[in-house]
Amino acid sequence: MSYLLHIDSSSLGADSVSSQVAQSFRNTWNEPVVHRDLAASPVPHLDAAGIAAWDTDPARRTPEQAAAAAVQDELIEEFLGASGYLFTVPMYNLTMPSVFKAWLDQVIVKGRTFGLPDGPAASGRPALVVSARGGGYGPGTPNHGKDFVVPALETILHDMLGLDVTSLTPELTMAPVVPALTHLIPLHEASLTDAHQQARRQAGKFRDRIAA
């Protein structure tokens, strides 16, 4: 069965702007979805046992290596079974949530998802990154150049995992709650409206592309 894999790393649940925009995608997608909520059920960070398991014969693995390999196997099989990907990755302190980095480190394994003779195992599959942020990081803003989420993810997901990545960045989410940013509310609302519209549009594109 073909499905969309939604990896969600927001800690705010239904109150997360990233998750709300992702829900607009899912409402339009209306096809099978496998949802992994990393905030509710975080995966382990990669450790020495997990790294050693890569090059150790399964019959010779220690109990710790076997347990680490089982985690990797589950996540990699789930990743490779998907036809498309939805990543909810809000900006926390200028970068991605650590739970999402932990997930990446578990699925990026040479010889299984990348480093293969014919390229990454999921090469060419569509992926949407939704990354809300409290401020503005576009050209002309004081924070321009300080977005260490989307540029990093676009590089990792495309160059290492081979995904065809599109990113949505609803901005200024702190404007409605921080008095000093009240004057930016119209810009926030416009950014959010556009993100929801783009999410629905991308869902339609994903569906048509996967069905082709």
Side-chain angles (χ1 to χ4, degrees):
M1 178 187 70
S2 175
Y3 58 83
L4 176 83
L5 178 59
H6 180 190
I7 302 295
D8 189 350
S9 61
S10 175
S11 297
L12 296 178
D15 292 330
S16 162
V17 171
S18 296
S19 297
Q20 291 167 9
V21 172
Q23 190 60 49
S24 284
F25 179 104
R26 289 183 54 171
N27 289 343
T28 304
W29 170 255
N30 199 29
E31 299 288 345
V33 175
V34 172
H35 180 211
R36 182 174 287 273
D37 186 342
L38 297 177
S41 300
V43 301
H45 284 79
L46 187 63
D47 59 11
I51 294 172
W54 298 341
D55 299 316
T56 302
D57 186 301
R60 295 180 176 274
R61 287 172 178 161
T62 66
E64 292 78 15
Q65 291 169 352
V71 170
Q72 294 171 6
D73 289 344
E74 176 185 350
L75 297 176
I76 289 172
E77 289 170 9
E78 182 177 77
F79 172 74
L80 292 178
S83 299
Y85 306 90
L86 175 61
F87 299 117
T88 308
V89 193
M91 177 185 283
Y92 290 168
N93 299 319
L94 303 181
T95 189
M96 70 186 78
S98 66
V99 290
F100 192 82
K101 182 59 166 59
W103 178 84
L104 284 173
D105 289 340
Q106 296 286 5
V107 300
I108 299 176
V109 177
K110 187 175 182 180
R112 300 191 64 185
T113 54
F114 87 107
L116 297 161
D118 296 327
S123 184
R125 298 180 193 177
L128 178 65
V129 173
V130 181
S131 180
R133 56 277 318 279
Y137 293 81
T141 67
N143 289 323
H144 184 226
K146 296 180 181 180
D147 179 354
F148 302 109
V149 183
V150 170
L153 284 182
E154 289 179 342
T155 299
I156 294 167
L157 295 173
H158 178 266
D159 292 3
M160 300 192 74
L161 294 175
L163 304 183
D164 183 5
V165 184
T166 300
S167 300
L168 298 180
T169 55
E171 295 192 322
L172 301 168
T173 61
M174 295 303 294
V177 296
V178 176
L181 300 179
T182 300
H183 64 290
L184 297 174
I185 289 178
L187 292 177
H188 158 65
E189 292 176 341
S191 177
L192 184 58
T193 296
D194 180 68
H196 280 288
Q197 292 174 345
Q198 292 293 335
R200 290 188 285 267
R201 189 172 297 118
Q202 287 298 320
K205 289 182 177 180
F206 273 38
R207 191 171 54 237
D208 293 345
R209 181 171 170 178
I210 291 171

